[in-house]
Each structure stands twice: as structure tokens, then as C-alpha cells.
Amino acid sequence: MMSWIAELEAILGDEDVITDPERLLAYECDGLSIHKHLPSAVIFPESAEEVVRAVKVLARHRIPFLARGAGTGLSGGAVAVQGGVIFELARMNRILEIDYENQLAIVEPGVINLALTRAVADAGYFYAPDPSSQMACTLGGNVAENAGGPHCLKYGMTGHHILGLEVVLPDGTIITLGGHGADAVGYDLLGLFIGSEGTFGIATKITVRLMRQPQAVKTLLADFLSVEDASRAVSAIIAAGILPSALEMMDRATIEAVEASVYAAGLPTDAAAVLIIEVDGLEASVAYDAERIVEICRAHGARQVLVARDEAERTRLWAGRKGAFGALGRISPDLMVQDAVIPRSKLPEVLPEIYRIAARYGLRMANVFHAGDGNLHPNICFDGRNPEEVERVKAACQEIMHLCVRVGGSLTGEHGVGLDKIAYMPLVFTEEDLEAMARVRAVFDPEGRCNPGKVLPVRRCRAF
Amino acid sequence: MNEKTTMTRALDRALDHEAEKLLACIHCGLCVSACPTYLQLGDENDSPRGRLYLMRAAAEGRLPMTSRALAHHIDLCLGCRACETVCPSGVRYGRLLEAVRADLSRAGTTPGLWSVRFLLNHIFTSPARLRWFFAPARWLRRRAFARRWAEGKFLPARVRLALELLLATMPEEGAPRDERRTIPLVSSGRRARRVAFFAGCVARELFAHTNRATMDVLAAHDCEVEDPSDQVCCGALHAHAGEIETARALARRNIRAFERSAAETIIVNVAGCGAMLKEYSELLADDAEYAERARAFAARVRDVSEYLIEIGLRPGPRPLHLRVTYDAPCHLYHAQRVRTAPLEMIRRLPGVTFVPLTEAEMCCGSAGIYNLRHPELADRLLERKIAHLRRTGADVLLTGNAGCLMHLRRGVRRAGLSMRVLHPVELLALTYA
Ligand SMILES: Cc1cc2nc3c(=O)[nH]c(=O)nc-3n(C[C@H](O)[C@H](O)[C@H](O)COP(=O)(O)OP(=O)(O)OC[C@H]3O[C@@H](n4cnc5c(N)ncnc54)[C@H](O)[C@@H]3O)c2cc1C
Ligand code: SF4
Ligand code: SF4
């Protein structure tokens, strides 16, 4: 029998099957580089048909595999924990169809999130979910992680914007999910696939909803002298019945890093925290909401509330916000980002506690997050070359996770469980919950070959 | 010192200098979609993050300096530095690239560079030899048969390509023509400003018309121009090819040559040279005798567009009636970060309608001599550029770098577009006529 590598080469061409360990190195991790595992091979399919044929070869040889988009994931999702084959989908980056009449687009999974919004911008449309990584991450990766972003506060996560999928199952069968109108007929398998973190199969075609650009947008920048004040302002804005399209918080450490980077946005470096608040919609309501937000921020101790004067200023603020995670790289060689959700009302209580945990472990901490959703992203700046410090980072992360769960929160807001959060799953789920999930997974992937070792703890090997 | 430590020296030193700037890469991946080679090939190894990963592996001893993967993927890098423009973490990619290339060159792993290295180290180091080297080229480009040869089939593909590029150095119809190597210096006594002109090596030999237009424009702005006689090639080609010591030697000679000039500003009209000149301070940072002088030199350098905007642009009165678009040379936009001056300049030209070019800040594939070394990939990038250019419907494409001018002109001609490709100063010069 031919080796599986030779079979893959026969399908894709020698050039598009990498097995040289030196060239596999760059594929040993994703955006969260603390988890490193070398795959056995990386392949570069260019069509759904090639994906199907390659998946069938791997099914016959019982080889594990996983899809990879841009590798910006922050939970170790695109890492080959058990070796096996990585399907690099970056070349499947065609926008197949744009249908303004029905407000949808059909794309291949390797299309970059921002590229889609750019492609429809001139016609007055946009694709709403806007992860901070949108200039690089792919729509396939977004579907797999059910990615969020600043504007998901109003518009909802990726899941709200996916109308249909074409999926290659681990045995090579190709199926279509959704795509038949608003209400799912039969089981909502589309909903099931979204956020399955690449463990159910490979999405090869994605139908997304396009939105009309709002008539008016206003972006505000409020700065505060304490993180607690900023947190209270967040709750107060939502409690006042205003639904901003985005409500983001950045603390001082983050502001300093951003202002030192190419994305400097003119943020006040002496503030303890800033809120970036955006409202969009009809001209009149936007103006009214913006006024009320200014009042609320002032009432909660804002030193200053500025309104972006034009599109250029708006873009600058958002570039600063979206470059924040990367900018933190200036502080230290490595960065550990957590992604927990807590009830918004708990922000003033939980945030200071998180800083205290970091201080107790002698770690530098920076917070930049989707405050409106209560989706925290505590970033710990450390040096991975120091094993003792790494241990402290892990211990601090664990305490933070426990804290968030204790106040009624959850493990991940948008980055997924992947490899990184598996250990915490039993914190929020019972044995039975996990068992039910495992059974669902087995329906799609009975042999456990599709992105194995992710999302669900393997109970036989680990004692929780 | 064992072999490995000698071989990784330049990278290590760059790392020491950059104190964590390689480690500053936190692997976020925001740069991958800005990288032209990644967009074409879709391979992490051909992305900035992947290349940095390979460099880090080499620096940490996980990969040997003789690694073929390292050499191959570093070789495929355009050096366009678009990744630096987007990196929030401030990774100095260009600097690390030069360092790793120097190491690879020393380790003898850089593929197929023997002839190039000979040219760089023995021809490009001497203006006299360069002149001798380019004389036949200047003769050839005026011959009708040269075009036939370039279009024919009997020459090897690479030679045809080189010939096409050579033909693309000819001045465009209507642009000022000049075949003289000597710069027609402007010096009429009571000029308001004194500047020293960096004439370039290939530019002096093949782009005399562009240099001439630059003189005309500077004259119109009351500048008295000097052409320091001992100046040599800037060394950019050397640095990019890993011949770092030759680059340093050239830098020292230029520093000495321009120290003799009293002019405050050094004007350069080739983006690639300008980027190199401005980075002499980094190139010679370890040189006790030259470090400070290099800093002083670098601070005097201005791209011509940057300078004109700085002193207040004064275009001539003649309206041009043209639709003009602009492609930003990587070494102007990403390396020198001169982004608005050329656009500002175009906007103020009389009778010009500006049409923006999609992906104007993405490399056209020229990248020094990249288009000769990796013609296939370079042509894919060129096609992408041409597709965007076609949609502008512009009469004129402006770009301020000799290599890009040749590469784009060749692309425009092959695609049958009736678009002239000019240096911004060439168009500006026409407004005075
Ligand atoms: C600076 C930065 C900011 C970020 N900001 C946000 C944010 O605001 N919100 C947010 O939600 N996330 C954010 N992220 C995380 C990350 O960008 C998202 O999870 C994104 O969706 C990952 O996309 P990707 O293409 O990089 O996928 P990858 O990292 O390549 O893969 C992620 C997972 O998706 C799977 N996958 C990829 N393609 C497919 C496919 N076609 N079919 C099936 N499975 C597939 C992979 O197997 C893997 O499990 C951020 C990351 C960074 C580095
Ligand atoms: S953007 Fe900068 S920090 Fe992020 S991966 Fe690229 S080089 Fe590294
Ligand atoms: S210099 Fe250009 S080609 Fe090289 S890694 Fe950076 S963006 Fe890519």
C-alpha cells in the first residue's frame, strides 16, 4: 500500500505537502505560543474537492488532522497535539459570490475577515463580527471559534451572521448545513457546528450575512482615574437602556503600550482606564445616545469625554484598540491572555481582585477587553524563558479562572476552549454535561481524529 | 569560539542590540495578511511571523544556520517591510532580516548567489567599474533589435527578462531625456538653499533623466545642488544580500564624501537608497569611529518628495490634464515611513486628477533584484498590481524608486496598458516647461 504521504502528494502535488521537520516548526503553535506540538505534515488544499480527497486518505489510514486558518487563535486550537496533518486553508481565499439583494456573501474559509468587509464597503455594506484580529484571521477560524469582537455587543457573535456552511466530515462526506431561510428545518446543525472549534469537520464554504452600514456613527473616548469608576460607568450605560455598538475598556498599562506602538491613538497615558464607546444607527438617535453617554460618564467620574471628530480619528482609535494585544508585546517577550466572561455588574468587584492576584504572584498585568459584554481579557506579561515565572503565570491564571466562575461567569468569551482551557472545563460542567458533549462529538467524529485533544477533557488520561 | 557561535554572530548581535526585539514578536499573527509572499503562497513559513519563528529557532539553536528551510524562506522574503508597518509590538523585522542574511551568507547557505556576489563586491563598489559595466547596457537599450530580442524566443528566459527591464529604464515619451552621466548641477551663486545630491549608482548610469528632472525641480525651488565627487553606491543591495561588510565599507565612504559638503540636507530620489542612507546609523552602530558620524549623516538625508513638502512645494504653472495614480515604493512607505509627502505633491500638481490605487502600499514584486532571482513570484505580485492599476484608468502611474519604475513599466507594457510610468519629480518637472 502507498504511504499516506505519497497519496497526499499524488492529490496535491509534492510542493503542497510539507513533511520536512524544519518547515513544520512554524506550525507547532498558533497565536498562543505556550502550547507547542509538531504536526506530521502540513498540506495546502486549494478547493473543497482537494479537502475531501485528502480527508478520505487520512480516514483510510486513521490519521488525525485539523484545519488551520491564519493561526491567530488564542487557545491552542490549531495545534496538532497528537501529531497528524494540518490543513492550511489560507489559499482557499476566494469570495465566491456577493448578493446584495439578499444581503449575503458566499466565501471560502480562508477569506480574511477584513477582506470581506473591504470588498463590500463601497456598496455600503459590512460584515459585522470584527475580532480585534480581523486584519488577519479567517472566516473559517471565526466560524470554528464563534469569534466575537468589539461590535458584537450590538450585532452579536459570528454565529448570528452565518447563514450556511459546506462541511467536510472526518470520513470525507461533504454536507450542507443551514442555508434554507431563517428558521432551521430539522435540527439546527449549523448552530452546532459554529463554535465547535474544528472538532466536527472542516468548513469549506461559508454563507455569511452582510449588513447595511449605519447612517451615522459616533465614537467616544472617556478617561477615568480609577478602573472601578470606569467599570461602574459601563454598567450604568447599559442600565440606562442604551445599546452601544461597542463598549471597550483599556487600562493604563495597555494605554502606555499602545501609545508607544505604531498604533498610537492619542490616548491619555495618565488615565487609569479609558472607555471606547461607539453608538450607531439613525442620525438623531445617535446624537441623543451620545449625549446621554457623556452625561453618564461624567457622573461616574470621567475626567474627560471626547468625541471622534471624523472618520480618520475614529479609525485611529479603533486601530489603537485592535493593536492593543500586540502592543503589549513591547512590555515582555511573552504574553498570556485570558478570556473569561463575568456578569457585567460584577466588573467593579472582579477587576481590582484580578489586579491583586497578579500582584500577589509578582506579575505584570494589563487589561483590555469587551467591557460591555463583561468579556475580560486579562493579559499577563512574562518571559517564557524563565520556568519559575511560567509556573507563577499558570497559578495566577488558575486563580483568575476560579474567581470568574465563582461570581457566575464562564471560561471563555470568544477565544474558545481549545487546548488551553480544557483543564477548567470541570469547573463549569458536570461529568454528565461533558459526557453529553462527548456523545455529540462522536456523532460527527466517531474515531476522534478531527482536531483531537481539544475542547473536551480526555477523562481516561487525566484525573480531575 | 565554536563554529555555531561564529555563525550566528550577526543575528545574535542584532538581538543584543534590539534587546528583545525578536522576542518582542508575541506571535499574534497580525502581520501575516500584510505580507505579499504569504498572501501568494499561504505558507506560515513565508509569513513574517513564520520567518521570525525560524530566526528565533536559529538563534536559540533549535535550527542550524545551515538549515535549508531557513535559507529558503529567508531568501523568498521581499524585504518590503510591510510587516513592520503593522506590527503592534514594534518588531524591527528589516534589521533582523539583514542580520540573518549576513549569517546565512557567511554559512554559505544562501542559494545561487555567486555571480550576484561578484557583481556586488567587485563592480558595485567602484563608480569607474560601474560605468564600464553599464556602458554597453546604455548602448543596447537604444537599439531597435534589443526590443525584438526581448520579445523573441531564442534567448533564455532570464536574459530576456533582464533585457526587458533594461528597456524599461528608457525615459517615457514626453519626459525629460538625458543620457549624460554627469548631473547638470544647479549653482548660480545666490541660491537660497544648499543641498547635496545622492546620485545613486544604477540611477546615475541608467536614470540620468530622472536625476536631471530632480535638478530642474530643485532649481525651481531655489536650491543650489552639489554632487560630492567621492560618493559611491549606497550599499542597499549588499545589505539585502547579506554582504554586510561591503555595505559598511560603502557607508563609510559615503559618510566621508558627504562630510566634505557644507550642505545641510542630502537629497535622494531613489527610495531604496534613501532607506539605506537613513539607516547608516544602525549599520555602523558598532563602529566606534563611525557610529556618531553615521547618525549625523543619516539625520541629513531626505527623500526628494519629503524635502519639497518640507520647504514648501511650488509646482510650475503648466496644467497637465492627466489622471494620475500612485504606487508607494516599499522602501519609502514602510522603511522610511514617508507616506503622505508624495500624495501631497501629486495633489498640488496643476490639472491633475488623483485616482487612488488599491493596495498601493503592497510590494509590486520588484524588491531590488528579487524580480531577477524569483521571477515567478515577482510576476505574480506584478499581475496583482496590474489588475488594480487597470481599474484606475489612470494616464500616469507615479512611483519614486528606480527598481519599481522598471518592474512596473515592464508590467504595464506587457499588459498593453497605455499608461506612462514616471518618477513623481519627472511629472513635477513638466509643470515648469
Ligand atoms: C491580536 C488578537 C486579537 C484577537 N481578538 C479577538 C477578538 O476580539 N475576538 C475573538 O473572538 N477572537 C479574537 N482573537 C482570537 C482569534 O483571532 C480568533 O479565534 C479567530 O477566529 C481565529 O481565526 P484563525 O483564522 O486565525 O483560526 P486558527 O487560529 O487558524 O484556528 C482556530 C480554530 O479554528 C479551527 N478552524 C480554522 N479554520 C477552520 C475551518 N475552515 N473549518 C473548521 N475549523 C477550522 C482550527 O482547527 C482551530 O481550532 C484574537 C487573536 C489575536 C492574536
Ligand atoms: S505582528 Fe509583530 S508581534 Fe505579531 S506576529 Fe507579526 S511580528 Fe510578531
Ligand atoms: S519583509 Fe515583506 S515579504 Fe518579508 S516578511 Fe515582511 S512583509 Fe513579508
Side-chain angles (χ1 to χ4, degrees):
Chain A
M1 193 159 94
M2 240 167 131
S3 81
W4 57 269
I5 293 176
E7 283 187 55
L8 290 178
E9 283 172 349
I11 295 168
L12 299 153
D14 300 0
E15 288 277 293
D16 294 341
V17 180
I18 303 184
T19 49
D20 171 4
E22 292 187 347
R23 295 180 67 191
L24 293 176
L25 206 57
Y27 281 97
E28 69 180 0
C29 57
D30 62 6
L32 187 73
S33 54
I34 54 165
H35 302 286
K36 294 188 173 74
H37 298 272
L38 218 54
S40 326
V42 176
I43 62 174
F44 300 85
E46 286 173 22
S47 65
E49 195 215 324
E50 285 186 350
V51 173
V52 169
R53 290 173 65 196
V55 165
K56 282 187 175 155
V57 168
L58 299 176
R60 243 184 301 117
H61 293 270
R62 301 184 178 250
I63 311 263
F65 68 92
L66 61 101
R68 177 176 159 122
T72 66
L74 290 174
S75 56
V79 177
V81 215
Q82 301 183 5
V85 177
I86 291 184
F87 284 61
E88 166 66 83
L89 300 174
R91 288 192 197 163
M92 289 180 64
N93 62 356
R94 280 158 294 211
I95 296 177
L96 303 171
E97 192 182 324
I98 296 177
D99 176 352
Y100 292 121
E101 212 172 312
N102 292 302
Q103 302 209 347
L104 58 85
I106 304 179
V107 303
E108 289 187 323
V111 169
I112 293 166
N113 177 303
L114 189 60
L116 178 59
T117 282
R118 288 221 173 112
V120 298
D122 284 345
Y125 287 83
F126 72 113
Y127 173 68
D130 62 336
S132 303
S133 52
Q134 74 182 134
M135 67 189 270
C137 65
T138 67
L139 291 166
N142 291 170
V143 168
E145 300 289 0
N146 190 15
H151 290 83
C152 292
L153 177 60
K154 174 168 175 184
Y155 293 105
M157 314 277 285
T158 300
H160 293 91
H161 300 268
I162 303 298
L163 302 172
L165 288 173
E166 175 188 272
V167 171
V168 177
L169 296 177
D171 62 359
T173 328
I174 193 158
I175 58 169
T176 304
L177 307 175
H180 302 288
D183 191 19
V185 180
Y187 297 117
D188 181 12
L189 296 184
L190 179 64
L192 202 56
F193 190 92
I194 296 163
S196 62
E197 304 193 22
T199 61
F200 290 178
I202 299 182
T204 46
K205 207 189 271 180
I206 307 171
T207 307
V208 302
R209 187 197 308 283
L210 299 176
M211 312 267 301
R212 289 286 311 179
Q213 287 163 2
Q215 188 192 38
V217 184
K218 261 197 196 325
T219 309
L220 295 87
L221 176 72
D223 77 81
F224 294 84
L225 292 172
S226 88
V227 174
E228 288 92 326
D229 282 350
S231 314
R232 285 193 199 99
V234 169
S235 293
I237 290 168
I238 307 279
I242 304 171
L243 183 56
S245 52
L247 210 182
E248 304 280 305
M249 193 190 299
M250 291 159 95
D251 71 0
R252 176 178 290 159
T254 311
I255 296 169
E256 279 171 2
V258 169
E259 287 308 305
S261 81
V262 291
Y263 295 108
L267 305 173
T269 45
D270 59 343
V274 295
L275 295 179
I276 297 179
I277 311 157
E278 190 160 282
V279 277
D280 68 12
L282 297 176
E283 201 91 54
S285 70
V286 164
Y288 176 66
D289 283 348
E291 256 170 53
R292 286 205 297 158
I293 290 172
V294 172
E295 275 165 30
I296 295 173
C297 287
R298 290 249 166 80
H300 286 81
R303 214 172 28 162
Q304 211 182 161
V305 189
L306 299 174
V307 182
R309 268 167 309 197
D310 50 26
E311 190 54 29
E313 236 178 69
R314 242 197 97 224
T315 312
R316 223 154 57 103
L317 279 180
W318 280 116
R321 163 62 188 91
K322 294 191 172 177
F325 172 74
L328 289 169
R330 305 176 160 261
I331 297 182
S332 61
D334 296 280
L335 199 57
M336 176 73 197
V337 54
Q338 281 298 332
D339 167 41
V341 190
I342 57 165
R344 202 166 31 231
S345 58
K346 302 279 189 198
L347 275 176
E349 167 191 336
V350 171
L351 263 183
E353 187 53 34
I354 287 180
Y355 285 105
R356 274 196 288 277
I357 294 173
R360 206 162 350 100
Y361 285 97
L363 296 168
R364 296 193 63 171
M365 154 88 61
N367 276 291
V368 44
F369 60 99
H370 314 308
D373 296 318
N375 186 179
L376 296 175
H377 288 323
N379 292 278
I380 301 177
C381 309
F382 69 105
D383 185 343
R385 293 168 300 180
N386 176 354
E388 183 271 332
E389 193 175 0
V390 174
E391 284 313 308
R392 277 187 281 137
V393 172
K394 287 187 181 157
C397 284
Q398 203 162 358
E399 272 200 39
I400 293 172
M401 274 300 151
H402 281 268
L403 166 69
C404 293
V405 172
R406 207 162 53 234
V407 298
S410 179
L411 301 178
T412 158
E414 52 184 22
H415 297 167
V417 175
L419 201 52
D420 196 57
K421 302 268 166 50
I422 284 192
Y424 303 122
M425 287 293 270
L427 279 184
V428 278
F429 296 111
T430 64
E431 277 281 307
E432 289 74 19
D433 296 342
L434 291 170
E435 179 59 34
M437 287 192 224
R439 287 217 297 271
V440 172
R441 179 175 184 160
V443 171
F444 287 90
D445 180 25
E447 294 169 1
R449 286 186 304 105
C450 191
N451 207 3
K454 309 292 165 61
V455 188
L456 297 177
V458 183
R459 277 166 303 150
R460 257 157 298 147
C461 311
R462 292 194 194 209
F464 288 118
Chain B
M1 215 186 263
N2 68 32
E3 202 186 21
K4 201 202 119 228
T5 46
T6 355
M7 289 213 289
T8 55
R9 226 178 38 199
L11 188 54
D12 284 346
R13 220 167 336 122
L15 276 180
D16 284 347
H17 262 294
E18 290 296 305
E20 319 276 286
K21 282 295 183 216
L22 178 52
L23 297 171
C25 172
I26 48 152
H27 219 251
C28 69
L30 290 191
C31 53
V32 299
S33 58
C35 174
T37 58
Y38 176 79
L39 288 178
Q40 290 302 323
L41 303 169
D43 185 343
E44 175 79 16
N45 288 292
D46 292 313
S47 77
R49 179 175 65 171
R51 292 188 176 115
L52 287 162
Y53 207 73
L54 292 172
M55 288 185 212
R56 187 169 181 169
E60 292 174 357
R62 288 179 76 198
L63 275 183
M65 257 305 151
T66 49
S67 154
R68 280 190 32 226
L70 177 68
H72 175 71
H73 295 292
I74 293 299
D75 191 42
L76 272 188
C77 172
L78 295 152
C80 70
R81 295 166 63 177
C83 43
E84 277 182 39
T85 295
V86 298
C87 174
S89 194
V91 173
R92 304 282 305 276
Y93 180 87
R95 182 156 187 183
L96 295 164
L97 178 70
E98 254 164 37
V100 77
R101 284 198 167 152
D103 288 331
L104 286 169
S105 158
R106 213 166 323 118
T109 338
T110 317
L113 267 177
W114 179 87
S115 50
V116 173
R117 223 172 279 165
F118 176 81
L119 283 179
L120 290 179
N121 290 332
H122 300 285
I123 306 295
F124 277 71
T125 44
S126 147
R129 264 170 266 157
L130 263 177
R131 179 177 191 176
W132 162 85
F133 180 79
F134 277 108
R138 277 186 289 145
W139 175 82
L140 187 60
R141 67 176 176 175
R142 288 194 306 269
R143 297 292 164 277
F145 67 82
R147 180 150 298 281
R148 286 199 302 278
W149 283 7
E151 283 159 8
K153 287 276 171 276
F154 65 96
L155 287 173
R158 278 218 195 193
V159 179
R160 276 204 321 258
L161 172 61
L163 201 52
E164 271 184 71
L165 289 170
L166 174 65
L167 289 168
T169 62
M170 284 294 278
E172 290 274 13
E173 209 61 44
R177 280 175 179 260
D178 203 325
E179 291 271 328
R180 283 171 299 172
R181 287 183 67 264
T182 42
I183 314 285
L185 288 182
V186 199
S187 57
S188 70
R190 295 181 311 278
R191 295 275 179 181
R193 302 184 178 84
R194 276 178 74 140
V195 297
F197 183 57
F198 182 83
C201 56
V202 179
R204 196 190 279 275
E205 301 301 329
L206 299 178
F207 286 89
H209 48 287
T210 313
N211 283 352
R212 154 91 189 273
T214 309
M215 290 310 115
D216 293 350
V217 164
L218 288 171
H221 287 81
D222 293 335
C223 294
E224 179 172 332
V225 189
E226 297 170 36
D227 175 13
S229 58
D230 298 336
Q231 59 171 301
V232 286
C233 164
C234 66
L237 289 172
H238 306 77
H240 300 158
E243 299 299 301
I244 205 98
E245 284 313 325
T246 316
R248 290 200 176 107
L250 290 168
R252 291 188 197 98
R253 283 166 70 185
N254 277 325
I255 291 173
R256 288 195 299 269
F258 282 87
E259 277 173 350
R260 284 193 281 276
S261 154
E264 198 179 310
T265 309
I266 301 168
I267 301 288
V268 53
N269 63 7
V270 181
C273 308
M276 184 77 243
L277 298 178
K278 286 180 178 177
E279 284 169 9
Y280 275 3
S281 45
E282 299 197 345
L283 188 67
L284 295 173
D286 283 337
D287 184 322
E289 193 190 333
Y290 276 87
E292 191 46 50
R293 292 161 75 181
R295 257 196 301 280
F297 173 94
R300 292 162 72 195
V301 180
R302 294 285 181 284
D303 182 74
V304 60
S305 63
E306 193 183 10
Y307 182 68
L308 292 174
I309 295 298
E310 227 172 80
I311 61 170
L313 182 77
R314 292 202 306 261
R318 188 183 145 204
L320 296 167
H321 304 301
L322 291 169
R323 279 168 71 81
V324 173
T325 192
Y326 173 71
D327 190 51
C330 298
H331 282 95
L332 196 58
Y333 189 94
H334 299 297
Q336 297 187 48
R337 303 181 184 191
V338 173
R339 293 173 185 162
T340 51
L343 294 172
E344 180 71 28
M345 208 169 127
I346 297 167
R347 241 175 251 128
R348 310 235 321 252
L349 294 180
V352 156
T353 314
F354 176 68
V355 239
L357 174 67
T358 309
E359 292 185 345
E361 63 298 320
M362 186 182 290
C363 182
C364 64
S366 145
I369 50 168
Y370 191 93
N371 50 359
L372 286 168
R373 301 203 48 246
H374 303 288
E376 202 215 332
L377 196 50
D379 273 354
R380 279 167 67 179
L381 293 169
L382 182 59
E383 274 160 32
R384 186 173 175 131
K385 188 67 79 186
I386 295 293
H388 291 315
L389 277 172
R390 200 185 286 282
R391 277 193 288 275
T392 62
D395 307 307
V396 173
L397 162 64
L398 297 181
T399 192
N401 188 52
C404 309
L405 277 166
M406 289 154 71
H407 189 65
L408 288 166
R409 220 175 252 160
R410 169 176 163 266
V412 161
R413 285 179 188 167
R414 296 196 119 205
L417 300 183
S418 61
M419 191 181 283
R420 284 186 294 161
V421 188
L422 297 172
H423 191 292
V425 293
E426 290 179 305
L427 195 61
L428 176 57
L430 291 179
T431 64
Y432 302 107

